[in-house]
Each structure stands twice: as structure tokens, then as C-alpha cells.
Amino acid sequence: MGGDTLTPRSSSPEEESWLLDQDVSQSSSSLHLPYHPRKQEVETVNEECGFRFGGFEEEVGRRNISTNSLELEINQRNRCKAFKEVLQSYDQLQSRTESLKEAKSKILRPGEWIDKAGSMNLSDYNVPKTTTLLLVGSKGSGKSSLVNRISKVFDDDKFAPERAQVSYNYSAGEGTYFLREYMIPRGSSSICIYDTRSLSDDSSDNIAMLKNWITKGVRHGELLIRPSDNSSLRTRMKCKVRKNGSQSKEAKMVNFVIFVVNGIAVLKSMDSEDEGKKYTQMIATTFNCPYLSFKDDKPVVVITHGDLLSLSDRARVRVQLGELLGIPPAKQIFDIPESCDPVTELTIIDMLRYSLEHADKNLPHRHWLAEKVCRCRASLSPYIYVLIILGIAIISITIKHMHIRHASKSKPHVDWHAIRHLWLD
């Protein structure tokens, strides 16, 4: 479990008042049998895309078009450019598979990716022993499967049993209700991945859950109960707590977030009516929650179940998510299917490297921690002074009362009745 505990993040006014309302654009889609991209198809789709949008400049010169039409054309052109970049990224992955071992060796310890900008050194940062990455995603997105995929890549044991429990029929299964910690590689202390409970359809439940994880930290074995959970589910989960023991006492602060998305569900929502768009709307609302961002860095996105889609659909899903979430689809969205091949392994390594680099980039400075401690002391000092004064007053009153009692006991007693009799005699 070893790892340093960082100072919890505090909520900003922007985070407390955050609200998102974003529309989802539409596109056509279709499902295919399991598929692996080939270089020839990448080149073919690139040529088709260039033929359709390559003459944009000439078209603008030939005719007068309105501002809205021009904006629409520009957006289409940018979408086509992103589509081509995503397709080319698959081709580039295939050409890099020979350097798989070298890429794996560059997954380094916490703090190794710190950029010494602004005259900052490694000693100026509060570097944890373990980089903690948090998996976030909806039910059936494939978070637990992703844990197993990552573990097998770094454990170099393709015959090892799966570490995370996977619900193959997630519509009937309960899923993950307890936070689970997985060290990568197994038995090391460099990288820690936390599997979490699935996101809810209720955005308020999600925001409350995310706020708790990011600001207070995560604990292995912690039971995750939402306010919207019914009484029977609460009773069943509490029975499991009594049976399986308590959670870890150590809370680890999250260093970066991996957002897992079901590619098939996104593809279906791209050509659906309002009812089908709930999935992508939930993704956008949760992804843009300020608690998941580290300064200007938003979470990395992993698309799963791509092995059931064609290359063209996989690329379109990435472009769609890039537009929806406001991130570059070829650089911050990683397509990790349920396949076991060098291209998928290299994609996993690239995704982890991206996450670790941005986790190091946003580590807190030591002087920031010291200033926070000083502010806490300053805020407590008036109360400390009041307590000291009250304590002194109580002690003084107690001592004075003891002196009075002692004096009353030691004062000699005069028998005036006996003196009167002596005087009369």
C-alpha cells in the first residue's frame, strides 16, 4: 500500500457553482465484425477525405457564402483534418511496434517527468512514492477489463489470472461497489490504479462522488454508496462490509484521472434521437466537472470495445468525443480494444505515459504546502488565544477558591460562651 499522502485539494468557488449544459452533434454510424486497421485502408480513407474537402479554398473563392455557411465549412474542414490525423495515428502505431520494449522501459517513477520550468527543481515538489491514477466511467465501459489489460502488459505474464473482477453481463451484474487498488506492475510501488464504481445517470450523484475522491483521497476497500441507492442495495452492501472487513486506513490523493468510454455506446448515440443522446450528455457533463481537471489538464480518455467496430467508425468516435469534450482526439483519446497484440500494448503504454507526465506536471509545490499550513495556524491562532485566556482565568479562580477554603480551616476558633462565663465569675 505504501505511498505518501498529499494535502487534500480544496474546492474553489468555481467548482462549487459549476454547471454544464452542452448539446451533442449527430452523425451516422454502423457496427461491424471484429476488425484490425490496415495501412492500405488508412491511405484509402485519407484519399477520400482529401477529395471531399481538399478544394475548400477554391470553393470559397468562387462563390459568396454567408458567415454561418463559412463557419460550417470551416468546422467540416477541421473535422476532416482531425479524422485524417486519427487514421494516421493507427498507421504510426503499427510502425512503432518494434520499439515496444523501449517504450515500456520509459514508464518511470513518480517525479521523473517533472518539467523544471520557472527555475523549479525536483526538491521543490512534494513527490509521492506512488502515482495514483483514478479510473472513471459508466457501467459497462470496461474499467475492470482495462485494469486487467494494463496488468498483463506490465507483468509480462499472459497466462496470469485476471486481477479485477469483470462483469461480462453488466446489465445483470452488480459491478464494482468497493474501491480497488492495483499496483502496476504487480508488487511494485510506482504506479497505482484505482477501479471505481460506475457513474450514475444522476449527475448530482456523480459530482458528489468525484468531489469526495479528489478532495479527500481514495481508500482500498471503501464502500461506495450513492444517495440515490435504494434501501435493499444499501443493506446488501453493508452485509458485504461486515463479511469482508474494513477499508484501508490510508487515503491516497489522486494524481490524475483516466476517463473510460464505451465506443459502441458513443457510436449508437451519434445517430440517435434525444433518448439515445443521454449517454454522451452524461459523459460531457461528468468529464467537464472541475474536480476531474488538474489546473488546465483534463483527464485522458480511453475508448473500449473498438474491436467490434471498423477502422472508420473507431476514428469517427474519437473525432466525435474530441469535439464533445474539447480535447485533441489523436493525442488525448486512446483506442484500447479487447485484443491482445503489439499495437494495443503500445497504445496502453502511450496512454500511461501521457497520464504519468501530466500527473508529475501538476504535483503541488512544497512552499505551497508550507503556506497552507501557515494559513491554517493563522486561522487557528485567535481561538488558541481565547482558550489560553479562559484556561488562565479558570486556574486563577480555582487557586483563589482553594486559598479561601484553606484560610477558613486554619483560622483559630474563639469560644465566646466560655469567655462570657469567665467574665461573669
Side-chain angles (χ1 to χ4, degrees), residues 96-110 112-113 153-156 184-185 190-191 345-346 348-350 352-353 356-357:
R96 292 174 49 217
T97 52
E98 294 181 357
S99 60
L100 180 60
K101 187 175 181 180
E102 179 185 357
K104 191 187 299 186
S105 67
K106 292 184 178 181
I107 302 298
L108 306 174
R109 297 183 302 274
E112 297 291 337
W113 297 111
V153 169
F154 286 90
D155 288 343
D156 290 322
I184 307 293
S190 297
I191 306 171
E345 291 187 12
L346 188 57
I348 290 173
I349 293 170
D350 287 347
L352 276 182
R353 175 168 176 171
L356 296 174
E357 285 187 8

Side-chain angles (χ1 to χ4, degrees), residues 41-222:
E41 183 175 355
V42 173
E43 294 173 349
T44 302
V45 178
N46 282 340
E47 290 175 2
E48 292 176 355
C49 191
F51 175 77
R52 290 170 56 198
F53 296 97
F56 171 72
E57 293 86 352
E58 292 80 0
E59 184 67 19
V60 172
R62 284 199 305 267
R63 60 190 173 90
N64 266 335
I65 56 178
S66 66
T67 304
N68 290 338
S69 298
L70 179 61
E71 184 178 353
L72 180 62
E73 293 268 10
I74 293 174
N75 289 339
Q76 276 297 90
R77 184 185 179 194
N78 290 335
R79 186 176 294 113
C80 180
K81 180 182 178 181
F83 184 76
K84 291 170 64 177
E85 289 178 350
V86 169
L87 287 172
Q88 290 169 359
S89 70
Y90 290 111
D91 191 20
Q92 293 167 359
L93 279 170
Q94 288 181 337
S95 64
R96 292 174 49 217
T97 52
E98 294 181 357
S99 60
L100 180 60
K101 187 175 181 180
E102 179 185 357
K104 191 187 299 186
S105 67
K106 292 184 178 181
I107 302 298
L108 306 174
R109 297 183 302 274
E112 297 291 337
W113 297 111
I114 286 179
D115 185 8
K116 299 177 177 61
S119 301
M120 300 291 290
N121 297 314
L122 182 62
S123 59
D124 297 322
Y125 293 88
N126 192 66
V127 181
K129 294 179 181 177
T130 304
T131 300
T132 301
L133 305 176
L134 185 73
L135 291 183
V136 173
S138 60
K139 191 173 183 179
S141 60
K143 298 186 301 297
S144 299
S145 296
L146 181 61
V147 170
N148 294 327
R149 301 284 301 117
I150 295 173
S151 183
K152 286 188 177 182
V153 169
F154 286 90
D155 288 343
D156 290 322
D157 186 0
K158 298 184 183 299
F159 301 100
E162 294 184 340
R163 299 175 67 184
Q165 176 65 51
V166 177
S167 299
Y168 288 97
N169 183 11
Y170 63 85
S171 60
E174 291 185 338
T176 301
Y177 284 94
F178 295 84
L179 281 173
R180 294 295 180 186
E181 177 186 88
Y182 299 95
M183 306 304 296
I184 307 293
R186 189 195 300 259
S188 70
S189 60
S190 297
I191 306 171
C192 168
I193 295 180
Y194 264 85
D195 193 8
T196 65
R197 185 179 179 183
S198 301
L199 296 172
S200 169
D201 293 332
D202 188 342
S203 60
S204 61
D205 274 357
N206 295 333
I207 294 171
M209 190 165 57
L210 295 172
K211 178 182 178 181
N212 184 67
W213 291 338
I214 301 299
T215 59
K216 297 182 180 179
V218 288
R219 290 179 173 85
H220 177 71
E222 179 182 357

Side-chain angles (χ1 to χ4, degrees), residues 5 7 60 74 82 95 102 114 118 155 162 164 170 190 213 245 248 260 292 312 351 361 391 395 401 418-419:
T5 302
T7 301
V60 172
I74 293 174
S95 64
E102 179 185 357
I114 286 179
D155 288 343
E162 294 184 340
Y170 63 85
S190 297
W213 291 338
S248 171
V260 186
L292 292 188
S312 178
M351 182 274 296
K361 175 183 174 183
I395 293 172
H401 181 67
I419 294 174

Side-chain angles (χ1 to χ4, degrees), residues 332-367:
Q332 199 170 342
I333 301 178
F334 295 85
D335 182 359
I336 302 178
E338 292 287 330
S339 55
C340 185
D341 55 75
V343 171
T344 302
E345 291 187 12
L346 188 57
T347 306
I348 290 173
I349 293 170
D350 287 347
M351 182 274 296
L352 276 182
R353 175 168 176 171
Y354 182 98
S355 302
L356 296 174
E357 285 187 8
H358 286 76
D360 280 358
K361 175 183 174 183
N362 294 293
L363 288 175
H365 299 165
R366 290 187 181 275
H367 67 79

